[in-house]
Amino acid sequence: MSSAFEDGFSAAKLFAQGYSYTYDDVIFLPHYIDFSTDAVSLSTRLSKRVPLSIPCVASPMDTVSESHMAAAMAALGGIGIVHYNCDIATQASVIRHAKSLRVPIASDAVFKSPDLQIGSVDDFGPSSFVFVSQTGTLTPSLLGYVSKSEWSSMKDDQKEMKIYDYMRSIESKDYYVPWDIDLDKIEAVLEDKQKGFVVLEKEGEAVNVVTKDDVERVKGYPKLGSGTVGADEKWMVGAAIGTRESDKERLQHLVKAGANVVVLDSSQGNSIYQIEMIKYVKNLYPELDVVGGNVVTMYQAENLIKAGVDGLRVGMGSGSICTTQEVCAVGRGQATAVYKVATLAAQHGVPVIADGGISNSGHIVKALVLGASTVMMGSFLAGSTEAPGAYEYRNGRRVKKYRGMGSLEAMTKGSDQRYLGDTAKLKIAQGVVGAVADKGSVLKFIPYTMHAVKQGFQDLGASSLESAHSLLRENVLRLEARTGAAQIEGGIHGLVSYEKKSF
C-alpha cells in the first residue's frame, strides 16, 4: 500500500494505545475484492491436530452443549465441547450418544412416563406424537407412543387411564432402523412403511427418534461442507474437564467414551493446577490434543504453551452472562485479548479459540481476522433446538434457560471448581441465570451465519483465515477505533419501527 494512501491504523499500532477494546470498539476498513463469496474458505483448526470445516465451537456450558448440540455442530463442520457439570458417567454417556447421532436431528418429540394418566398429556409440542419410556426421557428402551390424532378423539371415560394402557406398542422391528442410516434412507423407510416416525437403534438401544415432520424440516435447511469426522468414522466430540485430582479419573473415562479433544475448563488458566494437568494429559495420551485456558495476556499464554497445549482458549469476563470483570476487576476487552494472544500463539503454531463476546456475524469476522482460528459460542447457540432444556413461555415469547457457569445455580452442580472455588467456604457468583429466545435449529442458522462471515472476508479481500491473518500481520488490513456515536451510526437507527430478519 502506498504511504500516500495509508488510511486507518495497523493492528499493532491500534492495540498498543493502552485501551482494552471490545469487538464493537473497532472496525476494519474495506480492502480489495477479486474473488466471489463462494471462493472464501473458512476451514481451520480447533487445535494442532483437530481440523474443522467451519470455525464454530459450542461452549462447554450445561445450557448449551450436550449430545444433540455436539452432533449438530460436528455435522456442520464445527465441533461441540461437552460440559462437565455432571458426574463422570453422565458426561461419558453424553459423548457416546453424540457420536452415535449420525443424523443429528434434535427431534421435537415429547416423552412421558407410563404411569401418568393419559388425560394429563396436553403438550405434544410441534410433534404429532408423544413417546412413552420408563423414565419419561429418550432411553435405551422405548415402550410405545400416543398419536395426536388418537389423543384428540379420546373419550371422557378414557382420560383416567394410564398412558401405558392407552399407548400403542413399538416393539415391532418395523419402527427401528440402524443408527448410521442417512436422512434420505430414513425418508424412504418412512414412505415405504407408512410410519410417522422411526427409532434409530445402535447395539439394541434407542439413540434417537426421527419423525416425518423432522425430516421435512431438516430437508429445507441450507447445506454446508463436510462434517467433522474422526478416525473412528464417527462425529468428533470434545470434552471439558477441570484440574482437580478427580479429573484424572474423568479423563480416562472420557477418552474411553471417544472424546477427540480435551478442553481444560478454567476462568483463569494460568495456574500451577492447569500446567500440571496439561503435562499429565500429554504424558498419558500424547496423541490427544489439549486446549488450555482461559487466558487474555501473552504472559499467561506463554506459560501454557511451554507446558505443551495444542490450543488456547481466549476470553475472561466477555460472555453475556459472565460477571468476572465486574466482580473480580480482572479480564480484558475481547478484541484486544484475541489480538495479543494470537500474535504470540501464531509464533508457536498454536491455534486460538476466541471465547465469548460473540453476538453477531460481524463479531465472528473480527475475532477471526484478529488472529483466532475458531470462535466459541455460548449465548449465540443457547435457545436453539439443540441446546439442552425445555422451552417455556415468558411474556409471550418462547425461551430457554441460559446460565453462566459462574452463576450460583451452576456452581451448586459442581462448576465452582472452574473458578477455583470448590474448596472455598463462601461461594461468590461470577455469572448470572437468564433466558434467551428460541432461535430454531443450529442446522439452519449457522450456515446462514457462515455465509455472512464469508461476505465480511470478501469485503476485506481475504479468501481464507490464513490470508486474513497474513494481511493483518503485513499491515495491509487497517482498523480504527469507533466512538460511541459511530457505533450507533453503524447500527439500525432513526426508524420509528422496524423488523429485523438476519436471513
Side-chain angles (χ1 to χ4, degrees), residues 72-90:
M73 292 300 290
L76 290 166
I79 195 168
I81 311 299
V82 175
H83 72 87
Y84 71 114
N85 210 23
C86 55
D87 60 53
I88 295 172
T90 299

Side-chain angles (χ1 to χ4, degrees), residues 47 49 80 83 85 99-100 121 152 198 228 270 296-297 313 340 353 360 367 392 395 398 408 500:
S47 54
R49 288 179 290 268
H83 72 87
N85 210 23
K99 294 177 78 71
S100 70
V121 177
S152 61
V198 292
T228 309
N270 186 30
V296 292
T297 71
R313 190 174 166 197
K340 291 290 188 179
I353 304 167
N360 52 55
E392 57 184 88
N395 300 320
R398 194 167 185 244
L408 292 177
K500 185 176 181 180

